Amino acid sequence: MTSPFALSHCLLLSGILFAIGLVGVTTSRNVLKILLSLELLLNAANLSFVSFSRYHNDYAGQLVVFFVMLVAAAEVAIGLAIVVLMYRSAKTIQADDLRDLRW
Amino acid sequence: MYPFFFYFFATVLILAALTVVLARNPIYSVLSLVVVIFSLASIFILLEAFFVGVILLLVYAGAVLVLFLFVVMLLNLNKEEVARVKQSRLRPLGFLVGTAFLAELFWVIKASSLAETTSPGSIRGTIETIGRILFTDYLLPFELTSFLLLAAVIGIVSLTKGILKS
């Protein structure tokens, strides 16, 4: 069974997802929302890897997605631990409130 | 039948992704990320990447997002803290960057020869095929990821337990 939608549609969807994530990372002030938008960015990259793998007959793309997911899991775990510590010591999760190093 | 499902899940994906970014309450963001992950996994399965789609569901919806939800509830942000979110002055700039990126990408896809690639390959990313490649050609990277995860675990425990401080 062949899937008739074109590769360019998958890539466009991945690009839209990446753009939404990019807007989220640059505009949100809540650290948790920045981490969530980072997940959007990683998954947009995953989608384009899988669609290239599908249309170029190469399994390497899907293996890269597997490794990206492992790295993303480690990143999320560390990032959330840092957020919890940040809330414990600074009592805030707004990125703008962390201005101790500001001159 | 296939294109209908693809465009349906693509629409759901984009709407849920917009909700992740635009929702004020972090809990709504996390819950719409669950919707994003489910529709993305459906698109992976439509692309016949079965293993990756299932792993996406298990790892993200099963573990990562539960962790997110757990942390959001652990922090127990009061109403003022959530409502206090005033918009960044750089917000229009962020939207401008996003739109510019999207326009550029659209132009690149339009201009390249990718647009003509409509016939998909014949590969099926089942557990058997992916596992076979993972344990032969990609054995060393696979083993190295275990070190990465070990380092992450040690880092988290030492961060949260304050082992380094004492």
Side-chain angles (χ1 to χ4, degrees):
Chain A
M1 182 70 196
T2 57
S3 48
F5 43 90
L7 170 61
S8 55
H9 293 182
C10 298
L11 293 182
L12 198 62
L13 179 62
S14 149
I16 292 171
L17 196 58
F18 195 89
I20 293 172
L22 198 62
V23 170
V25 169
T26 48
T27 62
S28 50
R29 306 184 138 187
N30 191 327
V31 179
L32 280 170
K33 283 185 71 179
I34 293 176
L35 280 175
L36 285 171
S37 308
L38 270 177
E39 296 304 308
L40 284 184
L41 291 181
L42 287 165
N43 281 311
N46 282 350
L47 177 58
S48 76
F49 268 121
V50 168
S51 34
F52 273 122
S53 148
R54 171 81 174 129
Y55 283 84
H56 287 181
N57 261 330
D58 194 347
Y59 285 110
Q62 297 184 15
L63 288 159
V64 170
V65 169
F66 179 72
F67 291 124
V68 167
M69 274 185 228
L70 282 176
V71 173
E75 172 253 333
V76 162
I78 294 271
L80 287 176
I82 291 174
V83 170
V84 170
L85 282 185
M86 175 182 153
Y87 187 72
R88 250 190 235 157
S89 64
K91 291 285 169 229
T92 178
I93 59 163
Q94 307 296 322
D96 285 12
D97 291 346
L98 299 175
R99 49 182 65 197
D100 285 354
L101 284 179
R102 197 170 176 182
W103 46 276
Chain B
M1 207 60 167
Y2 270 45
F4 167 74
F5 281 120
F6 176 76
Y7 295 118
F8 173 72
F9 286 124
T11 315
V12 173
L13 180 64
I14 290 169
L15 289 179
L18 281 174
T19 317
V20 170
V21 172
L22 297 177
R24 295 198 156 221
N25 195 334
I27 290 197
Y28 293 147
S29 292
V30 177
L31 291 180
S32 31
L33 196 60
V34 175
V35 179
V36 168
I37 294 305
F38 266 86
S39 40
L40 195 66
S42 316
I43 288 174
F44 281 3
I45 286 169
L46 284 180
L47 287 166
E48 306 207 347
F50 305 112
F51 175 68
V52 172
V54 170
I55 288 291
L56 189 77
L57 275 186
L58 288 179
V59 171
Y60 269 89
V64 168
L65 293 178
V66 171
L67 199 62
F68 262 108
L69 213 53
F70 184 70
V71 168
V72 170
M73 290 176 176
L74 179 76
L75 296 185
N76 193 18
L77 303 172
N78 44 15
K79 280 239 163 51
E80 305 90 80
E81 182 79 6
V82 173
R84 205 178 56 86
V85 183
K86 54 179 195 292
Q87 305 303 345
S88 165
R89 281 193 307 277
L90 295 176
R91 197 174 169 88
L93 197 64
F95 279 107
L96 192 70
V97 168
T99 319
F101 173 80
L102 197 59
E104 192 179 352
L105 194 94
F106 191 74
W107 181 71
V108 166
I109 291 176
K110 202 94 177 151
S112 73
S113 60
L114 290 172
E116 286 106 58
T117 313
T118 49
S119 62
S122 55
I123 64 167
R124 296 163 64 83
T126 57
I127 294 174
E128 189 196 346
T129 48
I130 296 291
R132 201 178 291 277
I133 298 170
L134 198 59
F135 286 108
T136 53
D137 296 345
Y138 287 81
L139 187 60
L140 183 64
F142 182 69
E143 295 291 338
L144 288 180
T145 51
S146 63
F147 278 99
L148 181 75
L149 291 176
L150 181 68
V153 168
I154 293 173
I156 293 159
V157 171
S158 66
L159 272 177
T160 50
K161 286 280 179 190
I163 291 169
L164 295 181
K165 242 180 280 175
S166 57

